[in-house]
Amino acid sequence: MALFGAIEAGGTKFVCAVGTGPEDLRARMVFPTSTPGETIRQVVEFLGEAARHEPLAAVGIASFGPVDVKPDSPRFGYITSTPKAGWQNVDLAGEIRRALDLPVAFDTDVNAAALGERRWGAAQGLQTFVYLTVGPGIGGGALVAGRLMHGVLHPEMGHMRISHNRQADPFPGVCPFHGDCWEGLASGPAIAARWGCKGECLPIDHPAWPLEAHYLALGVTNLVCVLAPQRIILGGGVMRRSGLFRLIRHKTLELLNNYIQVGEIIERVDEYVVPAQLGDNAGVLGAIALALDATKAEPERQKT
Ligand code: ZN
């Protein structure tokens, strides 16, 4: 089994690991995101040292964005217009490829996490599904007919516009670009700004949660209508609130209002809107899945 390097590149931290899958994640290292030069140097040092013990077949990068993921673009592998200071127009994939002299697979953190969930987690056996993370922001990745969705860009699901009744909820939203887009209304920072305290300190019977479930269900309903996914997988810190899945499923069915008559949704919604399974390792496992797919390696066999 070939060994891979994995990089989860986040706006606040980078997580690096080497391994072949969830049962085999060897050295793992986390460090805060500083300047591009310093951060990339740390990544290269860590993976270079790992490769001296056992050669790596490829490196996968699951990156915050927006990023350029068009393989024929001269700026493929760049972080482009991110609001993260100092990280605009950084050739992340190119610098790592040149420094390690290894093939590099590159995609958004959420597209990578979707691949990881298909290989090892909640989307095994599916061809068309959506992976969402609800935390410091809202991000979504999707596979359609077995392929990651790419067009002129990667999807930016967190910035879809959803209906917002300002009489019922006058909160203007936190997105610096749109105010009350999906992320602006329903991310972790939106909950904290609206209620003056983080989600963790709001009990499940607090009005914050039916409102949160309403907004999340609006986005989920839009995704059902646009992509007809076989499943919708939700991860991220906000989704750890117990009881939230139940509210979202209920509100999604209410919003669809029996228009879409498929058993997978109306009879088995508990298996349709489901939690992510890869937890804190979603990023690095997604990066390994990217590298595996890029090198056309066989999927890891489950150990018995
Ligand atoms: Zn936005």
Side-chain angles (χ1 to χ4, degrees):
M1 184 75 202
L3 187 64
F4 296 97
I7 303 163
E8 176 191 353
T12 54
K13 68 179 196 297
F14 269 54
V15 186
C16 294
V18 294
T20 60
E23 308 294 327
D24 174 30
L25 266 186
R26 302 173 203 180
R28 188 175 186 277
M29 192 172 113
V30 184
F31 44 87
T33 307
S34 60
T35 62
E38 169 66 9
T39 308
I40 291 169
R41 187 189 61 72
Q42 285 176 290
V43 169
V44 166
E45 207 172 274
F46 171 80
L47 291 179
E49 180 58 28
R52 268 189 285 282
H53 297 291
E54 192 175 345
L56 302 177
V59 174
I61 305 175
S63 178
F64 72 106
V67 292
D68 189 334
V69 291
K70 290 194 291 276
D72 57 351
S73 162
R75 282 157 53 82
F76 171 79
Y78 276 63
I79 295 176
T80 57
S81 55
T82 178
K84 172 87 181 161
W87 282 83
Q88 295 87 8
N89 304 310
V90 168
D91 182 10
L92 180 62
E95 291 205 23
I96 288 167
R97 184 179 60 243
R98 286 187 291 275
L100 294 171
D101 194 23
L102 284 170
V104 167
F106 179 79
D107 215 308
T108 62
D109 43 9
V110 280
N111 263 346
L115 268 193
E117 290 288 342
R118 185 173 71 152
R119 201 172 264 275
W120 299 296
Q124 292 180 57
L126 303 185
Q127 295 295 309
T128 300
F129 67 93
V130 173
Y131 167 88
L132 295 162
T133 178
V134 187
I138 296 182
L143 264 83
V144 173
R147 299 177 71 90
L148 284 173
M149 268 187 87
H150 294 144
V152 290
L153 184 72
H154 44 80
E156 283 285 354
M157 297 181 194
H159 296 274
M160 74 167 97
R161 314 309 296 261
I162 57 171
S163 62
H164 176 202
N165 178 342
R166 285 176 185 269
Q167 259 84 53
D169 174 28
F171 181 67
V174 296
C175 176
F177 293 91
H178 316 113
D180 62 350
C181 64
W182 200 21
E183 172 174 303
L185 288 173
S187 60
I191 297 172
R194 182 187 286 108
W195 301 104
C197 114
K198 287 186 172 180
E200 296 93 287
C201 66
L202 300 166
I204 192 61
D205 58 357
H206 190 280
W209 297 112
L211 186 67
E212 177 69 10
H214 170 72
Y215 287 138
L216 292 179
L218 277 169
V220 164
T221 300
N222 290 346
L223 291 166
V224 170
C225 295
V226 172
L227 293 175
Q230 292 165 288
R231 191 167 294 154
I232 295 190
I233 297 163
L234 290 130
V238 170
M239 298 311 302
R240 293 200 191 110
R241 163 56 68 196
S242 65
L244 187 55
F245 271 97
R246 188 177 48 80
L247 293 173
I248 294 168
R249 290 171 184 137
H250 177 76
K251 289 194 180 269
T252 300
L253 290 178
E254 217 173 71
L255 288 165
L256 287 168
N257 199 24
N258 279 323
Y259 177 67
I260 292 177
Q261 290 281 336
V262 296
E264 287 90 336
I265 302 176
I266 58 175
E267 289 162 20
R268 296 183 292 280
V269 72
D270 289 359
E271 298 161 38
Y272 187 74
V273 177
V274 302
Q277 287 182 2
L278 300 182
D280 290 344
N281 284 327
V284 283
L285 288 172
I288 290 176
L290 275 177
L292 269 162
D293 275 19
T295 54
K296 306 274 186 243
E298 285 300 306
E300 189 201 24
R301 294 271 162 260
Q302 291 294 319
K303 290 195 175 73
T304 52

